[in-house]
Amino acid sequence: MFDRPGSGQKVLLVHVTDANVLNPAADLQEFTELATSAGLQLVDCMECRRATPDPRLFLGTGKIAEVAAMVQALGAELVLFNRALSPSQERNLEAELKVRVFDRNALILDIFAQRARTFEGKLQVELAQLVHLSTRLVRGWTHLERQKGGIGLRGPGETQLETDRRLLAARVKTIKRRLEKVRKQREQGRRMRGKSGVPTVALVGYTNAGKSTLFNRLSSEEVYAADQLFATLDPTLRKLNLGGGRHCILVDTVGFISDLPHELVDAFRSTLVETREADLLLHVVDCSDDERQERMSQVNEVLAEIGADEVPQLLVYNKADRISMEPRIDSDDEGQPEIAWISALQGDGCDSLPAIISQALGEHRVIGYLHLLASEGKLRAMAYASDAVTGETAQQDGSSILGIDVDKAVFEQWCKQQDGLLERFSSETDEVVLELPISELDWAAGDKSARVR
């Protein structure tokens, strides 16, 4: 029988490319960064090209002999392939090389296991690892064919492999049940935020694009940020002041990467739903990366996979200082902000982002003036609870005029709860005439124009 060799930290990288890899150098750099992010000690890297993988060893026997010679000469304890390996290929390679063999998916799973901090994050990573492991229980451990038995208990019994499968399935079921409970708690939090009318803005982008650094800059927080792949995994939510009495919830999400393992996408689906339910996505891009267009396409592919491709996006080109680019805002033909060039680390251009976010969110807002009767105190309290009031003027008859800035969906809920409310809303379109003229408003001087977008 075949026993798996021991593990270690000294790793030999095997970088295999084919015709589909457009930039082998960039692909190798990302592969190397993944290995170093996992805390591995790189001893060397073998680069090779193969059009179709060998079903038994992935590479040809001659190339495997070269890898084995390098393992012996360099004292490598691990061999890491940048391509996905089947369970049988992993076992056959370990038998040939006499060291542990891992593929890129297993490496990413290990990085996630190291970085998860919250209870939910640890459960998600464990689920992904177990799903990955479930296809690899056919591998060779010498104890797998031993069967339970004894005097009076002789017979087929249950093999160790069957026991492992049963225990693994039970653990997966338990984790999914716990994650479902966490999902319901998150869903309740999202419903509460929806009722308050505070929009959600999610930071998305390729891993190591600077999302956490930008999150810290905007929210004045100190979440962990480092120049490495997958520095943070667990989503963080903070309230962001946009100015003018407006706020939003800023969400820092996990970074994406090309060919993200499906086990991780499925396991982190409850976390990524924060992205799908957001009102606006800040797509953070490393503008100093020569492969930024390809990275953006890969992020959009993941967004489409989780159902977030229809959420409006605002591109944020980060690390502009690396290419000596001055901070600026690029707008489209209609004057709407399209691309923001900033440096989150230096803070250049970040001060303008809240106003840009507020402008981008304007299409989902109702902004204007509302006349409330004296008997509508409950609705007035709801407006203040939603942080939607920008000003108020009391009238002699006990009524009041509120300046409001609220999410369109919340305003529609108000109109359903109070008949005739829409007729007492004033906008600059003059489609609805306020019972009292705007000139009677007496709060601080400023832009008094009311509008519905």
Side-chain angles (χ1 to χ4, degrees), residues 20 30 38 52 80 134 139 161 166 202 219 221 224-225 227 247 281 286 303 309 314 316 334 409 434 438 443-444:
N20 296 324
E30 180 180 274
T52 57
L80 187 60
S134 64
R139 306 173 72 178
L161 178 58
R166 176 170 51 82
S219 63
E221 289 290 329
Y224 180 72
D227 187 13
H247 300 84
L281 300 181
D286 181 359
L303 291 176
D309 51 331
L314 175 63
V316 179
E334 298 178 357
L434 192 64
I438 297 295
W443 55 76

Side-chain angles (χ1 to χ4, degrees), residues 156-409:
E158 182 179 40
T159 65
Q160 183 64 49
L161 178 58
E162 291 168 342
T163 302
D164 290 346
R165 284 174 175 167
R166 176 170 51 82
L167 294 175
L168 186 145
R171 180 59 180 167
V172 168
K173 185 177 180 180
T174 299
I175 293 177
K176 287 184 176 180
R177 185 170 60 249
R178 292 181 178 178
L179 283 175
E180 179 64 19
K181 183 178 180 180
V182 176
R183 185 195 66 79
K184 291 181 179 179
Q185 293 173 344
R186 282 190 173 275
E187 183 65 29
Q188 183 179 12
R190 278 191 294 271
R191 286 198 301 266
M192 294 298 294
R193 293 197 300 271
K195 291 180 180 179
S196 68
V198 180
T200 301
V201 177
L203 295 170
V204 299
Y206 208 78
T207 181
N208 204 28
K211 296 184 301 300
S212 295
T213 303
L214 178 59
F215 181 86
N216 290 338
R217 179 69 64 178
L218 293 176
S219 63
S220 301
E221 289 290 329
E222 295 183 358
V223 300
Y224 180 72
D227 187 13
Q228 59 185 15
L229 303 185
F230 301 117
T232 55
L233 298 181
D234 304 307
T236 307
L237 288 74
R238 292 294 183 271
K239 191 174 183 179
L240 176 63
N241 184 7
L242 300 177
R246 299 187 63 185
H247 300 84
C248 74
I249 300 297
L250 188 64
V251 184
D252 185 19
T253 62
V254 62
F256 301 146
I257 196 170
S258 61
D259 300 324
L260 190 66
H262 288 288
E263 297 94 341
L264 281 174
V265 175
D266 292 338
F268 277 75
R269 195 169 295 276
S270 62
T271 299
L272 295 175
V273 75
E274 297 284 357
T275 302
R276 189 182 64 206
E277 300 295 332
D279 298 287
L280 177 68
L281 300 181
L282 293 187
H283 187 164
V284 183
V285 181
D286 181 359
C287 63
S288 64
D289 188 353
D290 295 334
E291 300 295 316
R292 63 174 179 265
Q293 294 297 333
E294 179 66 20
R295 305 290 190 235
M296 292 166 61
S297 299
Q298 291 161 352
V299 169
N300 288 327
E301 288 178 5
V302 178
L303 291 176
E305 187 174 352
I306 64 175
D309 51 331
E310 298 297 329
V311 181
Q313 285 191 23
L314 175 63
L315 289 177
V316 179
Y317 279 4
N318 189 27
K319 306 182 183 181
D321 55 308
R322 292 189 177 183
I323 58 174
S324 301
M325 175 69 70
E326 292 294 326
R328 72 170 193 264
I329 305 299
D330 295 340
S331 302
D332 58 18
D333 296 337
E334 298 178 357
Q336 293 295 320
E338 196 172 36
I339 302 175
W341 297 77
I342 66 163
S343 171
L345 185 63
Q346 304 297 331
D348 300 333
C350 293
D351 293 341
S352 61
L353 281 181
I356 297 172
I357 294 174
S358 180
Q359 184 178 354
L361 289 171
E363 297 180 357
H364 305 276
R365 311 290 292 180
V366 173
I367 306 173
Y369 303 98
L370 188 63
H371 182 208
L372 293 183
L373 305 178
S375 59
E376 297 174 330
K378 183 178 180 179
L379 187 58
R380 178 179 177 275
M382 290 174 55
Y384 272 96
S386 300
D387 199 17
V389 180
T390 59
E392 180 178 5
T393 296
Q395 304 300 308
Q396 294 180 354
D397 60 357
S399 64
S400 60
I401 298 179
L402 298 183
I404 62 170
D405 183 350
V406 66
D407 185 86
K408 185 181 295 184

Side-chain angles (χ1 to χ4, degrees), residues 103-177:
D103 61 5
R104 184 175 179 274
N105 289 354
L107 176 63
I108 294 177
L109 288 172
D110 184 74
I111 294 175
F112 272 55
Q114 295 180 35
R115 305 284 164 75
R117 293 293 180 267
T118 65
F119 174 72
E120 180 186 12
K122 292 177 181 178
L123 284 179
Q124 290 170 329
V125 172
E126 184 180 357
L127 176 61
Q129 287 178 316
L130 291 178
V131 172
H132 182 76
L133 180 63
S134 64
T135 62
R136 282 153 171 79
L137 289 180
V138 296
R139 306 173 72 178
W141 286 273
T142 55
H143 66 280
L144 291 184
E145 288 190 346
R146 298 176 185 169
Q147 298 183 0
K148 298 177 181 179
I151 301 299
L153 296 174
R154 308 264 180 208
E158 182 179 40
T159 65
Q160 183 64 49
L161 178 58
E162 291 168 342
T163 302
D164 290 346
R165 284 174 175 167
R166 176 170 51 82
L167 294 175
L168 186 145
R171 180 59 180 167
V172 168
K173 185 177 180 180
T174 299
I175 293 177
K176 287 184 176 180
R177 185 170 60 249

Side-chain angles (χ1 to χ4, degrees), residues 14 16 48 50 52-60 64 81-86 89 93:
V14 179
V16 186
C48 54
R50 187 174 180 88
T52 57
D54 180 78
R56 180 173 175 271
L57 295 172
F58 194 85
L59 299 177
I64 292 298
F81 281 72
N82 71 317
R83 304 283 291 276
L85 301 175
S86 69
Q89 286 173 337
L93 286 169

Side-chain angles (χ1 to χ4, degrees), residues 367-369 428 438 446-451:
I367 306 173
Y369 303 98
E428 63 183 3
I438 297 295
D447 183 10
K448 296 298 192 299
S449 61
R451 58 194 184 279

